[in-house]
Amino acid sequence: ILGDRDGETFDRARDGKRLNAQAAAVYSYMQHGQWRTLADIAAATGAPEASVSARLRDLRSLKFGGYTVERRYIAKGLWQYRIAA
């Protein structure tokens, strides 16, 4: 969950602490396997929806745990996500 992110724009000094805090908050909120929208997760963690989406992608990576993050379509472009148990 914690560690340096990939990408040209990642700067450990500028971004590391903030992104690790986001990742920990997203994982903590999602670890119980309940379906949540990005808006739900953002409201619970205080992170922007775009950041929540990025942290969910991170969780799928082996580098950050290789979790199975499932998604399901609700309606009108709305998706829900959960970490599979």
Side-chain angles (χ1 to χ4, degrees):
I1 297 169
L2 305 180
D4 288 347
R5 274 41 191 183
D6 298 322
E8 289 182 28
T9 62
F10 176 78
D11 180 291
R12 181 183 300 144
R14 181 190 63 212
D15 304 318
K17 185 176 179 180
R18 175 179 55 86
L19 297 182
N20 281 332
Q22 284 179 355
V26 168
Y27 175 75
S28 177
Y29 186 64
M30 296 297 292
Q31 69 181 342
H32 304 293
Q34 295 180 345
W35 288 102
R36 310 279 189 188
T37 65
L38 292 178
D40 294 334
I41 304 165
T45 63
E49 287 186 32
S51 295
V52 167
S53 180
R55 302 297 72 82
L56 290 172
R57 282 192 306 276
D58 287 348
L59 289 173
R60 290 183 174 110
S61 168
L62 289 177
K63 181 177 178 179
F64 298 109
Y67 296 94
T68 300
V69 180
E70 299 175 327
R71 67 181 183 158
R72 68 180 180 187
Y73 185 74
I74 302 302
K76 299 181 181 179
L78 182 64
W79 292 81
Q80 287 182 320
Y81 302 84
R82 74 173 177 182
I83 296 176

